[in-house]
């Protein structure tokens, strides 16, 4: 299939490489053009705009940072700004082309994009993912899909090289709703884990022993175990697999969804406040495990 891939960050570059290795004819676009160089050397074609990448495509896959980047790529215009007519929906794809949005976006924008893409003749799938960059590069992502079942079947030749698990939650928008919920739960777990380790330090406990004990306790979710081990290693600047800024973005989108559907989120509200403090401290681009720095603050520092 002829596939256009938009967004070559930590996740997107590995995903695009998987599609290329699977034999798809790949056109790639990234806001910073130099990020396309490695894939071009492996056989991909670089496009100057999302519209160019999507022209004549059987499918477009996007893996972008947020609503703003996604809107710019699909519509060719900034919110409320001038149209540049260089977005995916300005292109002429092959008949029945698939629009596969893998970014973690707000539910409101996904709903809008679903309508716009469908009206333009695309078959739309929201397909956010779970997994870290190493899973993206090795095809071990879990895909959280909202799509018509027939569209999902048509997309499987593209999705299979990316993943070892596909969960179909329902119609477009359902995959995004689940992704926001699970990432909000992750934010709460990470903040709670940071608070627990900070309390253990204040209590004079050996932190390495605490981490070992927690890792086999009833509280030991995969998220908690990965988080506390990185907090113990104090390596938030060494390898940024998921930044505090991105976690804060996802949590805020989830809270927007909760407000839209009438959900209560007292624990999530506290988690978001901690992430806001992390960004205010200038640590938003460190790995999200830097949140322990906020938990370690003396009580008077939180006033």
């Amino acid at each position: 299939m002829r596939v256009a891939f938009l967004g070559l960050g930590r996740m997107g570059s590995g995903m695009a490489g998987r599609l290329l290795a699977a034999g798809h004819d790949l056109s790639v676009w990234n806001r910073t053009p130099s990020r396309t160089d490695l894939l071009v050397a492996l056989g991909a074609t670089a496009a100057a705009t999302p519209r160019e990448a999507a022209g004549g495509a059987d499918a477009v896959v996007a893996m972008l940072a947020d609503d703003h980047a996604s809107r710019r790529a699909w519509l060719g215009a900034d919110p409320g700004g001038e149209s540049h007519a260089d977005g995916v929906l300005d292109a002429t794809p092959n008949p029945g082309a698939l629009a596969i949005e893998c970014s973690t976006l707000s539910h409101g924008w996904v709903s809008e994009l679903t309508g716009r893409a469908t009206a333009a003749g695309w078959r739309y799938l929201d397909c956010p993912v779970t997994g870290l960059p190493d899973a993206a590069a090795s095809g071990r992502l879990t895909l959280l899909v909202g799509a018509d079942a027939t569209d999902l079947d048509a997309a499987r030749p593209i999705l299979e090289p990316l993943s070892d698990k596909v969960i179909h939650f329902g119609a477009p928008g359902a995959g995004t709703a689940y992704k926001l919920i699970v990432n909000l739960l992750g934010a709460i777990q990470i903040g709670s884990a940071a608070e627990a380790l900070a309390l253990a330090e204040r209590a004079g406990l050996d932190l390495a022993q605490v981490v070992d004990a927690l890792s086999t306790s009833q509280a030991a979710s995969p998220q908690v175990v990965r988080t506390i081990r990185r907090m113990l290693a104090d390596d938030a600047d060494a390898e940024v697999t998921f930044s505090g800024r991105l976690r804060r973005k996802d949590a805020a989108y989830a809270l927007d969804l909760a407000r839209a559907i009438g959900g209560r989120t007292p624990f999530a509200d506290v988690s978001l406040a901690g992430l806001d403090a992390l960004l205010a401290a200038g640590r938003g681009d460190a790995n999200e495990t830097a949140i322990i720095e906020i938990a370690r603050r003396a009580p008077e520092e939180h006033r």
Side-chain angles (χ1 to χ4, degrees), residues 100-140:
I100 305 172
E101 179 53 275
C102 294
S103 318
T104 302
L105 305 169
S106 73
H107 196 264
W109 165 234
V110 165
S111 296
E112 179 183 345
L113 178 57
T114 301
R116 285 176 175 264
T118 301
W122 295 78
R123 294 186 287 172
Y124 184 84
L125 298 83
D126 72 307
C127 186
V129 311
T130 60
L132 296 175
D134 62 333
S138 57
R140 293 181 293 107

Side-chain angles (χ1 to χ4, degrees), residues 54-65:
D58 299 305
V60 173
V61 182
M63 190 61 170
L64 302 159

Side-chain angles (χ1 to χ4, degrees), residues 123-208:
R123 294 186 287 172
Y124 184 84
L125 298 83
D126 72 307
C127 186
V129 311
T130 60
L132 296 175
D134 62 333
S138 57
R140 293 181 293 107
L141 295 171
T142 295
L143 307 184
L144 315 171
V145 178
D148 180 273
T150 57
D151 294 343
L152 174 56
D153 286 342
R156 288 192 186 277
I158 297 168
L159 303 183
E160 287 173 358
L162 305 177
S163 65
D164 56 12
K165 188 174 186 180
V166 176
I167 308 176
H168 185 199
F169 284 94
T176 289
Y178 174 79
K179 177 62 187 295
L180 294 177
I181 290 166
V182 74
N183 273 23
L184 187 62
L185 176 58
I188 295 168
Q189 289 182 308
I190 291 163
S192 299
E195 190 170 274
L197 291 196
L199 287 173
E201 285 181 324
R202 286 182 178 271
L205 301 180
D206 180 276
L207 210 58

Side-chain angles (χ1 to χ4, degrees), residues 188-275:
I188 295 168
Q189 289 182 308
I190 291 163
S192 299
E195 190 170 274
L197 291 196
L199 287 173
E201 285 181 324
R202 286 182 178 271
L205 301 180
D206 180 276
L207 210 58
Q209 187 178 38
V210 168
V211 167
D212 282 344
L214 284 174
S215 295
T216 56
S217 74
Q218 291 296 313
S221 71
Q223 179 76 77
V224 166
V225 172
R226 181 170 61 247
T227 293
I228 60 178
R229 287 176 177 169
R230 289 208 59 175
M231 289 176 179
L232 177 64
D234 192 26
D235 67 350
D237 294 309
E239 182 184 0
V240 182
T241 55
F242 200 77
S243 71
R245 190 178 308 281
L246 285 177
R247 179 66 67 175
R248 194 270 174 204
K249 179 264 296 184
D250 291 358
Y253 287 166
L255 291 177
D256 287 343
L257 172 62
R259 285 189 285 269
I261 62 178
R264 293 184 66 252
T265 58
F267 300 110
D269 293 342
V270 173
S271 176
L272 184 66
L275 291 164

